[in-house]
Amino acid sequence: LDKKLLGSLHILFILKCDLAVQDLNLYLDIHEKDNELIKMLNFYKKELSNAKETYLNKYGPLLPCQITPSFTWNDNPFPWEA
């Protein structure tokens, strides 16, 4: 697979994990004692964190707050430009 497609797939995975975390948080607002879903929430939080970190290291920042002072993120093309 080319770099552009891999970057897009990575963003899609981040979005899926983020949706799962948000949805599980909403569900757990009402069902706070559902231990199985608490475990699932923790799993997706970890997956989301790992996916964001991997993306940051491989493609650059997703958010403005992740920009480094040296602005090295602009040295390489973004996934949609590759």
Side-chain angles (χ1 to χ4, degrees), residues 10 51-62 66-68:
H10 203 112
K52 285 181 176 181
E53 184 67 27
T54 300
Y55 187 91
L56 177 64
N57 292 333
K58 196 168 190 176
Y59 301 107
L62 284 165
Q66 296 172 324
I67 296 174
T68 60

Side-chain angles (χ1 to χ4, degrees), residues 15-70:
L15 293 172
K16 287 180 179 183
C17 289
D18 189 57
L19 177 62
V21 167
Q22 291 181 39
D23 200 34
L24 289 167
N25 268 320
L26 289 173
Y27 179 83
L28 288 168
D29 282 345
I30 300 168
H31 305 90
E32 65 273 354
K33 294 183 181 180
D34 191 333
N35 290 327
E36 189 171 326
L37 287 188
I38 290 171
K39 289 178 187 176
M40 190 182 295
L41 173 64
N42 290 331
F43 169 80
Y44 279 109
K45 281 177 149 180
K46 186 175 179 181
E47 288 289 306
L48 179 60
S49 177
N50 290 341
K52 285 181 176 181
E53 184 67 27
T54 300
Y55 187 91
L56 177 64
N57 292 333
K58 196 168 190 176
Y59 301 107
L62 284 165
L63 304 169
C65 64
Q66 296 172 324
I67 296 174
T68 60
S70 64

